[in-house]
Amino acid sequence: MTDQNLAVVVLAAGRGTRMKSERPKVLHSLAGVPIVGHVLATARELDPAHVVVVVRHERDAVAATVIELLPEATIVDQDEIPGTGRAVEQAISALPTSFTGDVMIVSGDVPLLDAATLTGLLVAHRASTSAATLLSAIFEDATGYGRIVRTSDGAVDRIVEQKDATPDELEIHEVNSGSYIFHLEPLREKLALVTTHNAQGEKYITDVIGLLRAAKADVTAVPVSENWIVGGINDRVQLAETARRLNQLIVRGWQLAGVTILDPDSTWIDLQTTIAEDVELLPGTILVGPTVIERGAIIGPDTSLDSCEIGSGAIVRRTDATLAVIGAGATVGPFAYLRPGTYLGEKGKIGAFVETKNAKIGNGSKVPHLSYIGDTTVGEGSNIGANTITANYDGVNKHATVVGSHVRTGSHNVFVAPVTIGDGAYTGAGTVVRKDVPPGALAINVAPQRNMDGWVEANRSGTAAAKAAAAASDEVAEQA
């Protein structure tokens, strides 16, 4: 049920210069979802009456992503006045005048902060008389974080930013996580008093804490259970660390759901992926996007699947596949490359060193090895010989190849599209098929073999080959 007394403000206006990227920091991917997408998902789970997202850097790109992921969100543009305080000030101005509840503030670059933690913070806030409740953490090395300064009796007094802290304040290990809950009216009143008179020249939301305390209002700090929950992402190192932590949680979740994962450290799974019970993931498996794997399939080792569907009992080994569908009981690999549009039917096979693209291969049909099959439809129960190529491109247009059911094609064939091979047909080894093959026919175009006796001696005299040939000829003559 929607909490009509809760508004969530997401701060996503920063440049993220330490990422050293043209892409906005909050749009970098984490387990297949933009960083800010994780924050928005948490906000949705809280079911607040309002979600306001403050944007500025690369405004259009960030806003478009936010609306795509959370259409009901309100977008607010931060103006020229820098700082989190100004961002929050503009955000609460966008709330309806009828709203008088609590304002939760979270950062768009803290993706692992979950709804359970924030719900606990909200419960603590509402159970107290505090005008503000903030989430804190204890860090051995608190460099970069705002320090929570307490009074002699342990009450929260103020928050001091790293660049404004005294040497004694820098020794404090309790830090501000950047997540808060305020009663709206005290927040609005004190934000109007916050200035930019500090080392950064910014309007800090943290200054509100000191102003509230000066007005004799209570402020509470609730520590998190694990520091990584409030870890922000400011550079590529932190992005990688957060990705690994999140992946550990995802992998563990699937293990507890009945998936065998032999090497969690080398297995990466996106949040959008769905895996059934009794699936086995071998080392080096990477599952990207909305990949779906049905019961009993075996994936890996060293396999990457992007937005694929894998049927029950299928085996996919050492394969790179994108937008491919693999039927139940089918086998793929090793060293197969499945490009978008590949469909392999039940109990079919795509073997070693095979590349497919926009290819529909029917139930029980096989492309065992060393082949390229593109823009092709293969019926049921057919076998494509080794080293087969579908020549689907004439330099201007792509053309289709159709192979019927129960066809047997020879090794080293080239099918020059557009061409159709009828049901039950055969083709000979080395055949270049340039025209349609009727059902049940044998297609061959190999010229009769011609042996030119003595050619090596005449043309390669004195070579190792010539000496070997001469010795063999003498041996044959002696045995005659």
Short mmCIF file of all heavy atoms in Angstrom, two decimals, residues 431-453:
data_model
loop_
_atom_site.label_atom_id
_atom_site.label_comp_id
_atom_site.label_asym_id
_atom_site.label_seq_id
_atom_site.Cartn_x
_atom_site.Cartn_y
_atom_site.Cartn_z
N THR A 431 30.92 -29.82 -53.09
CA THR A 431 29.95 -29.29 -54.04
C THR A 431 29.65 -27.81 -53.78
O THR A 431 29.47 -27.39 -52.63
CB THR A 431 28.64 -30.09 -53.97
OG1 THR A 431 28.91 -31.44 -54.32
CG2 THR A 431 27.59 -29.53 -54.91
N VAL A 432 29.60 -27.04 -54.84
CA VAL A 432 29.12 -25.66 -54.79
C VAL A 432 27.71 -25.67 -55.35
O VAL A 432 27.51 -25.91 -56.55
CB VAL A 432 30.02 -24.71 -55.59
CG1 VAL A 432 29.46 -23.28 -55.54
CG2 VAL A 432 31.45 -24.73 -55.05
N VAL A 433 26.73 -25.45 -54.50
CA VAL A 433 25.33 -25.53 -54.92
C VAL A 433 24.87 -24.14 -55.34
O VAL A 433 24.72 -23.24 -54.52
CB VAL A 433 24.45 -26.07 -53.77
CG1 VAL A 433 22.99 -26.14 -54.20
CG2 VAL A 433 24.95 -27.44 -53.33
N ARG A 434 24.65 -23.97 -56.64
CA ARG A 434 24.26 -22.68 -57.19
C ARG A 434 22.81 -22.64 -57.63
O ARG A 434 22.28 -21.57 -57.93
CB ARG A 434 25.15 -22.32 -58.38
CG ARG A 434 26.63 -22.21 -58.02
CD ARG A 434 27.46 -21.86 -59.25
NE ARG A 434 28.88 -21.78 -58.92
CZ ARG A 434 29.49 -20.71 -58.44
NH1 ARG A 434 28.77 -19.61 -58.21
NH2 ARG A 434 30.78 -20.73 -58.18
N LYS A 435 22.16 -23.80 -57.69
CA LYS A 435 20.75 -23.84 -58.09
C LYS A 435 20.02 -24.85 -57.21
O LYS A 435 20.63 -25.69 -56.55
CB LYS A 435 20.63 -24.21 -59.56
CG LYS A 435 21.23 -25.56 -59.93
CD LYS A 435 21.13 -25.79 -61.43
CE LYS A 435 21.72 -27.15 -61.82
NZ LYS A 435 21.63 -27.39 -63.29
N ASP A 436 18.72 -24.73 -57.20
CA ASP A 436 17.91 -25.56 -56.32
C ASP A 436 18.14 -27.05 -56.57
O ASP A 436 18.36 -27.48 -57.71
CB ASP A 436 16.42 -25.24 -56.52
CG ASP A 436 16.06 -23.84 -56.03
OD1 ASP A 436 16.92 -23.20 -55.39
OD2 ASP A 436 14.93 -23.40 -56.30
N VAL A 437 18.07 -27.81 -55.47
CA VAL A 437 18.21 -29.26 -55.54
C VAL A 437 16.85 -29.87 -55.25
O VAL A 437 16.29 -29.63 -54.17
CB VAL A 437 19.25 -29.77 -54.53
CG1 VAL A 437 19.39 -31.29 -54.62
CG2 VAL A 437 20.61 -29.09 -54.77
N PRO A 438 16.28 -30.66 -56.17
CA PRO A 438 14.96 -31.23 -55.93
C PRO A 438 14.97 -32.21 -54.76
O PRO A 438 16.01 -32.78 -54.41
CB PRO A 438 14.66 -31.97 -57.24
CG PRO A 438 15.57 -31.37 -58.24
CD PRO A 438 16.81 -31.00 -57.49
N PRO A 439 13.81 -32.47 -54.14
CA PRO A 439 13.74 -33.47 -53.07
C PRO A 439 14.26 -34.82 -53.55
O PRO A 439 13.98 -35.27 -54.67
CB PRO A 439 12.25 -33.53 -52.74
CG PRO A 439 11.71 -32.20 -53.17
CD PRO A 439 12.51 -31.81 -54.38
N GLY A 440 15.07 -35.45 -52.70
CA GLY A 440 15.57 -36.79 -53.01
C GLY A 440 16.67 -36.85 -54.03
O GLY A 440 17.16 -37.94 -54.36
N ALA A 441 17.14 -35.71 -54.53
CA ALA A 441 18.20 -35.71 -55.55
C ALA A 441 19.58 -35.67 -54.92
O ALA A 441 19.75 -35.31 -53.75
CB ALA A 441 18.03 -34.51 -56.48
N LEU A 442 20.59 -36.06 -55.71
CA LEU A 442 21.99 -35.92 -55.32
C LEU A 442 22.61 -34.82 -56.16
O LEU A 442 22.57 -34.89 -57.40
CB LEU A 442 22.75 -37.23 -55.53
CG LEU A 442 24.28 -37.14 -55.41
CD1 LEU A 442 24.68 -36.76 -53.99
CD2 LEU A 442 24.93 -38.45 -55.83
N ALA A 443 23.17 -33.81 -55.51
CA ALA A 443 23.81 -32.71 -56.23
C ALA A 443 25.32 -32.85 -56.14
O ALA A 443 25.88 -32.94 -55.03
CB ALA A 443 23.38 -31.37 -55.64
N ILE A 444 25.98 -32.92 -57.30
CA ILE A 444 27.44 -32.95 -57.33
C ILE A 444 27.91 -32.09 -58.49
O ILE A 444 27.21 -31.94 -59.49
CB ILE A 444 28.00 -34.38 -57.50
CG1 ILE A 444 27.46 -35.02 -58.78
CG2 ILE A 444 27.66 -35.23 -56.29
CD1 ILE A 444 28.11 -36.36 -59.09
N ASN A 445 29.06 -31.49 -58.37
CA ASN A 445 29.64 -30.76 -59.50
C ASN A 445 31.16 -30.84 -59.47
O ASN A 445 31.86 -29.94 -59.90
CB ASN A 445 29.19 -29.29 -59.52
CG ASN A 445 29.49 -28.55 -58.22
OD1 ASN A 445 30.32 -28.98 -57.44
ND2 ASN A 445 28.82 -27.43 -58.01
N VAL A 446 31.68 -31.98 -58.97
CA VAL A 446 33.11 -32.19 -58.90
C VAL A 446 33.60 -32.78 -60.22
O VAL A 446 33.06 -33.77 -60.72
CB VAL A 446 33.47 -33.14 -57.74
CG1 VAL A 446 34.97 -33.37 -57.70
CG2 VAL A 446 32.97 -32.55 -56.43
N ALA A 447 34.65 -32.16 -60.83
CA ALA A 447 35.21 -32.68 -62.08
C ALA A 447 35.95 -33.99 -61.83
O ALA A 447 36.45 -34.22 -60.72
CB ALA A 447 36.17 -31.65 -62.67
N PRO A 448 36.03 -34.88 -62.83
CA PRO A 448 36.77 -36.14 -62.65
C PRO A 448 38.22 -35.87 -62.26
O PRO A 448 38.86 -34.97 -62.77
CB PRO A 448 36.68 -36.80 -64.03
CG PRO A 448 35.47 -36.19 -64.66
CD PRO A 448 35.42 -34.78 -64.17
N GLN A 449 38.72 -36.66 -61.35
CA GLN A 449 40.10 -36.49 -60.87
C GLN A 449 41.08 -36.91 -61.95
O GLN A 449 40.91 -37.95 -62.61
CB GLN A 449 40.30 -37.32 -59.60
CG GLN A 449 41.71 -37.21 -59.04
CD GLN A 449 41.84 -37.90 -57.70
OE1 GLN A 449 40.96 -37.78 -56.87
NE2 GLN A 449 42.94 -38.62 -57.52
N ARG A 450 42.15 -36.15 -62.14
CA ARG A 450 43.17 -36.45 -63.13
C ARG A 450 44.52 -36.51 -62.43
O ARG A 450 44.91 -35.56 -61.75
CB ARG A 450 43.20 -35.37 -64.20
CG ARG A 450 44.30 -35.54 -65.23
CD ARG A 450 44.36 -34.34 -66.14
NE ARG A 450 45.46 -34.42 -67.08
CZ ARG A 450 45.89 -33.40 -67.82
NH1 ARG A 450 45.30 -32.22 -67.72
NH2 ARG A 450 46.90 -33.55 -68.66
N ASN A 451 45.28 -37.62 -62.58
CA ASN A 451 46.60 -37.78 -61.98
C ASN A 451 47.66 -37.60 -63.05
O ASN A 451 47.65 -38.31 -64.06
CB ASN A 451 46.74 -39.16 -61.35
CG ASN A 451 45.79 -39.36 -60.19
OD1 ASN A 451 45.36 -38.41 -59.55
ND2 ASN A 451 45.43 -40.62 -59.92
N MET A 452 48.60 -36.68 -62.86
CA MET A 452 49.66 -36.41 -63.83
C MET A 452 50.94 -37.07 -63.32
O MET A 452 51.67 -36.52 -62.49
CB MET A 452 49.85 -34.90 -63.99
CG MET A 452 48.59 -34.20 -64.49
SD MET A 452 48.75 -32.39 -64.53
CE MET A 452 50.03 -32.22 -65.79
N ASP A 453 51.21 -38.30 -63.82
CA ASP A 453 52.38 -39.06 -63.37
C ASP A 453 53.67 -38.30 -63.67
O ASP A 453 53.83 -37.69 -64.72
CB ASP A 453 52.41 -40.42 -64.06
CG ASP A 453 51.28 -41.33 -63.58
OD1 ASP A 453 50.75 -41.04 -62.49
OD2 ASP A 453 50.92 -42.28 -64.29
#
